[in-house]
Amino acid sequence: MSETPVRVMVVDDHPLWREAVERDLAAAGFVVVATAADGTQALARFAAARPQVVVLDLQIPAPDGVAVTAQIVAQDPEARVLVLSASGEHSDVLGAVKAGAVGYLVKSASREELVDGVRRAAAGEPVFTPGLAGLVLGEFQRLSDEPSDGEESPLTERETEVLTMVAKGLTSRQIAERLVLSHRTVQNHVQNILGKLQMNNRVELTRYAIEQGLDG
């Protein structure tokens, strides 16, 4: 019995690029349920089409990609936003991840990288153009290392271990093999880490960790 195709929405204000991405994803077996050219269209069509993965350019007419990402994740926490942007600026990458994006690819990515990225995003795995995952890890470790009213790092040792491997580009299955854990356990760790990255400050991160029982 074949798996149900992943439902995808493509958001980009350049028609030719948007159509090319749509063609590539359709050819790879995805179902493109909607496209949009700006933030307002994206939010309206997301609500109607309910895609599982949104392939999103950051530089779109207002609201921009970061704002759209935050609203999509707020509407449907199960939705996966994969940014596909011409910008590799650190501030753009961190802004997107903190808004709730599960991954960030630059537009120089190959068709194969895009198709693989959408598959991995649909499975809940972080997806980054090489080099950008290390940036996200470095920023998160910086936040975790900053002393703040005596609080400890919101990450457990195991989560730090998983996140380090994610930053090296390992898939959840590869991480599971290395740490001798189940695939589902690794995915749960990744989801907890991503959830924390979406928080706005250390107080929220720590509260989240305690609520999830990750402080023990």
Side-chain angles (χ1 to χ4, degrees), residues 33-204:
V33 294
T35 63
D38 58 48
T40 302
Q41 269 187 8
L43 291 171
R45 292 176 185 178
F46 173 81
R50 287 296 176 179
Q52 295 160 270
V53 178
V54 180
V55 178
L56 173 72
D57 185 12
L58 284 189
Q59 285 76 31
I60 53 174
D64 67 13
V66 170
V68 169
T69 296
Q71 290 190 52
I72 283 175
V73 173
Q75 278 185 46
D76 182 3
E78 293 298 311
R80 313 298 186 194
V81 178
L82 174 61
V83 172
L84 182 62
S85 176
S87 168
E89 290 292 323
H90 291 186
S91 58
D92 288 336
V93 178
L94 294 173
V97 171
K98 288 175 180 176
V102 298
Y104 196 109
L105 296 177
V106 295
K107 285 187 173 180
S108 58
S110 68
R111 176 185 177 279
E112 290 73 21
E113 287 172 326
L114 172 62
V115 168
D116 181 60
V118 173
R119 282 202 185 98
R120 290 176 64 182
E125 295 185 13
V127 182
F128 291 97
T129 291
L132 297 185
L135 163 70
V136 174
L137 173 64
E139 173 69 7
F140 192 71
Q141 286 182 329
R142 184 187 69 77
L143 291 173
S144 297
D145 290 342
E146 285 180 353
S148 176
D149 299 330
E151 294 170 357
E152 295 180 1
S153 164
L155 280 186
T156 63
E157 285 185 26
R158 177 64 87 191
E159 287 176 329
T160 301
E161 204 170 7
V162 169
L163 186 56
T164 301
M165 291 187 179
V166 167
K168 291 177 180 175
L170 297 179
T171 66
S172 289
R173 291 195 184 281
Q174 289 170 327
I175 295 170
E177 288 172 6
R178 292 200 182 190
L179 297 181
V180 198
L181 296 171
S182 72
H183 183 229
R184 181 174 294 278
T185 298
V186 172
Q187 286 187 317
N188 287 341
H189 281 313
V190 170
Q191 286 307 308
N192 282 333
I193 293 163
L194 288 173
K196 293 173 186 180
L197 278 169
Q198 292 170 27
M199 302 298 176
N200 295 317
N201 54 52
R202 284 185 52 75
V203 174
E204 290 181 6

